[in-house]
Each structure stands twice: as structure tokens, then as C-alpha cells.
């Protein structure tokens, strides 16, 4: 993944770019959280035409977080988003929710982890790891 220099703090969220724009909020009761409704509202009302992906995370333990993502372009919740998982891991580290440089994240589509080094306040050598799984096959005809 790319190096991440800027992690912006706001009263109710963190914002960063990990290859695409990501808005991250730490929430409670993620399982019942209105991801699509809240994500769509933030994506459109806060970020306008360009939009932003919106990630909601809940802390499970010192080094593990659950994550759900509303993805712009898809305009719905996705099973997993690599840049979003990376953004969330960096965000929770930056705000002190974990002090580990490998963060475990449980997405709807599976368990992933993000490791990194912090050098001069820049997140470097960012590595996203986890299983890859075939989830869809389709055919279409081009006229």
C-alpha cells in the first residue's frame, strides 16, 4: 500500500487518503449500525460530488477492530475494501486506540491485517494481508 503522510482529525471522524479518500468513524454496536444510510449521507453531504468512502469501526480488543464500509461508486456497503481497511488501521493507531504496528480488522468479507512502520510521523511499509476469495463470475456480450 502507499505511504500515508496526512491523517486529519475532526471532532467526530478521521480523514486520510490511502490511495483513495477515506472518512473513518469509531462507533459502538457496529453490527446494528446503519452503515448504508449514514455512509450515503456522509459521502454526499460532507464530500459532495467527489465523495469519499466511509468506514465505521468498533474496537474489539487492544489490537482488533470490526469494520464496515460504505464505498463510493458502489454506493452501498461492500464486503471489504483494502484501502479502507488500511485507512482504518492507520486511523485507530494514530488516535491511540492501539499501540501495535500490526492491526487486525474483521470485515464482513473476512479477517485482514495491516502492518506498518511509523517513521518521522509517516506511515511507511504499509502491508495489507489476508485471504483472497473468488466471489463472483459473470459473462456479458459486447455488440
Amino acid at each position: 500500500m502507499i505511504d500515508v503522510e496526512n491523517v486529519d482529525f475532526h471532532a467526530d471522524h478521521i480523514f486520510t487518503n490511502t490511495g483513495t479518500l477515506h472518512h473513518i468513524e469509531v462507533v459502538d454496536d457496529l453490527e446494528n449500525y446503519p452503515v448504508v444510510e449514514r455512509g450515503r449521507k456522509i459521502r454526499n453531504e460532507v464530500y459532495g460530488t467527489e465523495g469519499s468512502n466511509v468506514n465505521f469501526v468498533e474496537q474489539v480488543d487492544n489490537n482488533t477492530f470490526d469494520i464496515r464500509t460504505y464505498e463510493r461508486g458502489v454506493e452501498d456497503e461492500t464486503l471489504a475494501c483494502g484501502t479502507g481497511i488500511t485507512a482504518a488501521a492507520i486511523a485507530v493507531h494514530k488516535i491511540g486506540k492501539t499501540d501495535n504496528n500490526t492491526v487486525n480488522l474483521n470485515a464482513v468479507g473476512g479477517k485482514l491485517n495491516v502492518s506498518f512502520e511509523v517513521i518521522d510521523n509517516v506511515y511507511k511499509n504499509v502491508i495489507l494481508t489476508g485471504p483472497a476469495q473468488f466471489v463472483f463470475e459473470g459473462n456479458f456480450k459486447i455488440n
Side-chain angles (χ1 to χ4, degrees):
M1 305 302 283
I2 67 170
D3 292 350
V4 178
E5 295 184 34
N6 299 316
V7 181
D8 301 326
F9 300 96
H10 301 270
D12 60 353
H13 70 279
I14 303 102
F15 183 82
T16 193
N17 185 338
T18 54
T20 192
L21 306 175
H22 284 278
H23 172 113
I24 303 105
E25 291 187 12
V26 178
V27 300
D28 293 321
D29 194 19
L30 183 59
E31 184 177 347
N32 296 305
Y33 199 80
V35 170
V36 174
E37 295 81 8
R38 181 91 173 109
R40 182 174 292 132
K41 182 176 181 172
I42 292 167
R43 179 257 192 266
N44 291 307
E45 293 181 13
V46 176
Y47 298 101
T49 305
E50 182 177 15
S52 175
N53 291 339
V54 183
N55 307 278
F56 302 98
V57 296
E58 181 176 29
Q59 190 159 13
V60 175
D61 61 35
N62 182 51
N63 196 42
T64 304
F65 297 81
D66 290 339
I67 182 169
R68 293 176 63 192
T69 299
Y70 179 88
E71 195 163 345
R72 69 179 174 167
V74 176
E75 305 308 329
D76 206 343
E77 183 174 3
T78 57
L79 298 177
C81 172
T83 55
I85 293 209
T86 301
I90 289 170
V92 297
H93 182 268
K94 187 76 171 179
I95 64 173
K97 293 285 185 185
T98 183
D99 59 0
N100 292 304
N101 68 343
T102 298
V103 180
N104 303 311
L105 292 117
N106 303 316
V108 175
K111 296 181 180 193
L112 300 139
N113 66 53
V114 177
S115 61
F116 47 78
E117 296 177 307
V118 182
I119 302 169
D120 296 327
N121 213 29
V122 176
Y123 287 82
K124 295 182 173 263
N125 302 312
V126 181
I127 300 171
L128 170 65
T129 57
Q133 193 171 353
F134 187 77
V135 295
F136 181 78
E137 180 176 348
N139 296 303
F140 62 95
K141 183 177 179 180
I142 300 175
N143 293 326

